């Protein structure tokens, strides 16, 4: 049994991960810590477990095997490093950290202390992504030229009595979040496109503060990949009814995914639009992969390269927007960075 401590209810997905932990037969939630004691005590009462006010006592507790980190993103580095040094396995919400350098320091510490780290990048486990990857790997699209991926919602559209919409107000705190729509919701288009297109060469981005928040609520990033493909990544908190869209264009075909609707046209098949009769079986969720890695030392399908690549695009996008220029990824990377 993996005895888990929940570290903060700050993130909107914290309850989801608590539910996954509760439902997994290999996991037992033992206690809660939160940087906001009042919020943490309420959560602990709901879950029927103790609340601890001192993080160090949680991480030093020999009965705690692992932690689920849903703290403000600006606290990820210090907390995850400390957890790893105390020999705790770590599951955390994306992004891992604000810079590639900080991510590399975290992974070095994780490896040095022989613990399992998983960052939640759930769409890499979904059947539509696996289908898209199969299509690309089989060469059915020919040379991949463009990927467009859009994920947006209306979380920042003002509601009566709440100017920030249905998202929690702290999601607009630049210090805690490190950004807005791109670093949060835009993470999914980033890591999906990175996986499909390969290593990024340069980034140009615009991060708009349409509603006057301290962080972006509408953003677009244009990625140039070493493969020659372009990635057009769109996200935002101001789009009502916007579907998830993943579009792949190549010299021999096109693949269009809109929510659950999938169709493809390839000159290597019959040249007509086709709808797949079946999709690959989805992989285990990031959480379940983390548990299986701890229990059985099973390999995970979400890699260090995926996590570093996500932070790389965010870091380069921030520089691009602030300085109004195209940013080459080599400005950020060093020779040992583990991005494929």
């Amino acid at each position: 049994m993996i005895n888990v401590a929940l570290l903060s209810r700050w993130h909107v997905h914290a309850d989801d991960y608590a539910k996954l932990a509760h439902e997994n037969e290999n996991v037992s939630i033992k206690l809660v810590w939160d940087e906001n004691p009042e919020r943490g005590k309420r959560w602990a009462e709901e879950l029927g477990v103790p609340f601890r006010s001192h993080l160090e006592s949680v991480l030093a507790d020999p009965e705690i095997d692992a932690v689920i980190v849903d703290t403000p993103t600006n606290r990820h580095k210090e907390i995850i490093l400390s957890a790893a040094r105390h020999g705790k396995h770590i599951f955390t919400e994306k992004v891992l950290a604000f810079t590639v350098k900080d991510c590399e320091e975290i992974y070095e510490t994780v490896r040095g202390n022989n613990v399992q780290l998983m960052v939640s990048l759930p769409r890499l486990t979904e059947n539509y992504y696996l289908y898209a990857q199969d299509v690309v790997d089989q060469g059915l699209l020919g040379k991949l030229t463009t990927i467009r991926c859009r994920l947006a919602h209306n979380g920042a559209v003002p509601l009566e009595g709440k100017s920030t919409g249905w998202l929690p107000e702290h999601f607009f705190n630049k210090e805690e979040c490190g950004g807005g729509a791109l670093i949060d919701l835009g993470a999914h288009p980033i890591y999906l496109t990175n996986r499909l297109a390969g290593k990024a060469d340069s980034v140009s981005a615009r991060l708009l503060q349409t509603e006057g928040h301290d962080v972006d609520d509408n953003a677009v990033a244009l990625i140039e990949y070493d493969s020659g493909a372009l990635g057009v990544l769109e996200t935002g908190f101001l789009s009502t009814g916007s579907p998830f869209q993943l579009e792949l264009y190549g010299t021999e075909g096109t693949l269009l995914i809109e929510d659950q609707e999938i169709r493809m046209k390839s000159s290597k098949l019959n040249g007509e639009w086709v709808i797949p009769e079946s999709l690959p079986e989805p992989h285990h969720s990031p959480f379940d992969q983390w548990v299986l890695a701890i229990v059985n030392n099973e390999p995970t399908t979400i890699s260090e390269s995926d996590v570093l690549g996500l932070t790389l695009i965010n870091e380069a996008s921030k520089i691009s927007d602030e300085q109004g220029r195209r940013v080459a990824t080599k400005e950020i990377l060093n020779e040992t960075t583990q991005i494929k």
Side-chain angles (χ1 to χ4, degrees):
M1 184 65 67
I2 303 168
N3 292 330
V4 165
L6 304 180
L7 304 186
S8 182
R9 202 182 194 177
W10 177 86
H11 201 279
V12 294
H13 290 153
D15 286 348
D16 298 328
Y17 301 137
K19 184 174 185 290
L20 289 172
H22 178 72
E23 293 174 347
N24 192 298
E25 62 182 11
N26 292 305
V27 176
S28 177
I29 299 172
K30 290 299 183 182
L31 57 89
V32 167
W33 170 87
D34 199 305
E35 71 278 0
N36 180 328
E38 182 179 343
R39 180 177 62 200
K41 289 175 183 176
R42 286 197 307 270
W43 200 19
E45 288 177 6
E46 291 174 20
L47 296 171
V49 298
F51 171 78
R52 291 230 193 129
S53 58
H54 297 290
L55 179 60
E56 181 61 27
S57 74
V58 175
L59 298 180
D61 189 336
E63 293 188 1
I64 298 300
D65 303 307
V67 295
I68 298 175
V69 179
D70 279 299
T71 65
T73 311
N74 67 333
R75 299 200 64 180
H76 275 194
K77 182 185 175 184
E78 60 167 304
I79 289 173
I80 292 171
L81 285 175
S82 185
R85 288 167 182 150
H86 280 88
K88 311 303 183 189
H89 303 291
I90 304 138
F91 182 90
T92 185
E93 181 56 76
K94 57 23 178 173
V95 295
L96 179 60
F98 293 144
T99 67
V100 172
K101 182 179 179 182
D102 284 349
C103 290
E104 290 177 321
E105 182 180 348
I106 289 169
Y107 273 106
E108 182 178 355
T109 303
V110 163
R111 286 191 292 270
N113 288 275
N114 196 31
V115 297
Q116 293 288 345
L117 167 65
M118 173 60 77
V119 181
S120 184
L121 309 182
R123 290 174 182 261
L124 290 176
T125 69
E126 297 288 352
N127 56 9
Y128 63 80
Y129 156 69
L130 297 173
Y131 176 76
Q133 190 69 66
D134 282 347
V135 167
V136 171
D137 292 345
Q138 291 178 46
L140 295 177
L141 304 183
K143 179 178 175 59
L144 194 62
T145 55
T146 304
I147 299 178
R148 174 180 173 264
C149 191
R150 176 177 178 81
L151 183 61
H153 60 50
N154 62 351
V157 175
L159 299 171
E160 185 176 348
K162 194 169 188 298
S163 62
T164 58
W166 56 259
L167 281 170
E169 289 188 13
H170 58 248
F171 263 50
F172 303 91
N173 184 309
K174 188 174 183 178
E175 181 182 0
E176 291 185 358
C177 300
L182 186 67
I183 201 171
D184 177 61
L185 197 59
H188 304 288
I190 291 171
Y191 66 68
L192 284 169
T193 305
N194 280 352
R195 181 72 80 82
L196 290 161
K199 191 174 181 180
D201 177 72
S202 69
V203 179
S204 303
R206 291 293 292 128
L207 282 59
L208 302 185
Q209 298 159 309
T210 309
E211 291 294 319
H213 301 297
D214 289 337
V215 299
D216 56 289
D217 51 23
N218 194 28
V220 175
L222 179 66
I223 320 299
E224 299 172 58
Y225 288 91
D226 284 357
S227 64
L230 286 174
V232 183
L233 313 184
E234 306 171 11
T235 191
F237 293 156
L238 299 173
S239 295
T240 297
S242 178
F244 168 71
Q245 294 169 311
L246 176 60
E247 304 171 2
L248 285 74
Y249 300 94
T251 57
E252 302 291 338
T254 292
L255 172 62
L256 302 179
I257 300 172
E258 182 171 302
D259 290 335
Q260 301 303 312
E261 301 294 325
I262 301 175
R263 59 191 177 120
M264 180 182 64
K265 178 185 290 187
S266 172
S267 62
K268 296 191 175 185
L269 299 176
N270 60 12
E272 302 293 332
W273 285 108
V274 295
I275 297 173
E277 295 181 0
S278 63
L279 297 175
E281 282 294 316
H283 291 161
H284 289 300
S285 72
F287 187 87
D288 287 344
Q289 288 193 36
W290 177 61
V291 172
L292 289 169
I294 296 169
V295 174
N296 298 329
N297 200 32
E298 291 190 19
T300 63
T301 63
I302 297 170
S303 70
E304 177 179 342
S305 179
D306 293 317
V307 175
L308 292 173
L310 171 58
T311 289
L312 172 63
I313 301 304
N314 274 295
E315 188 176 356
S317 294
K318 183 174 183 290
I319 296 169
S320 174
D321 182 68
E322 290 176 347
Q323 299 183 8
R325 66 179 180 90
R326 172 179 173 272
V327 176
T329 56
K330 65 183 179 182
E331 299 176 40
I332 297 170
L333 302 176
N334 59 57
E335 293 181 357
T336 62
T337 301
Q338 298 296 308
I339 298 179
K340 296 180 181 178

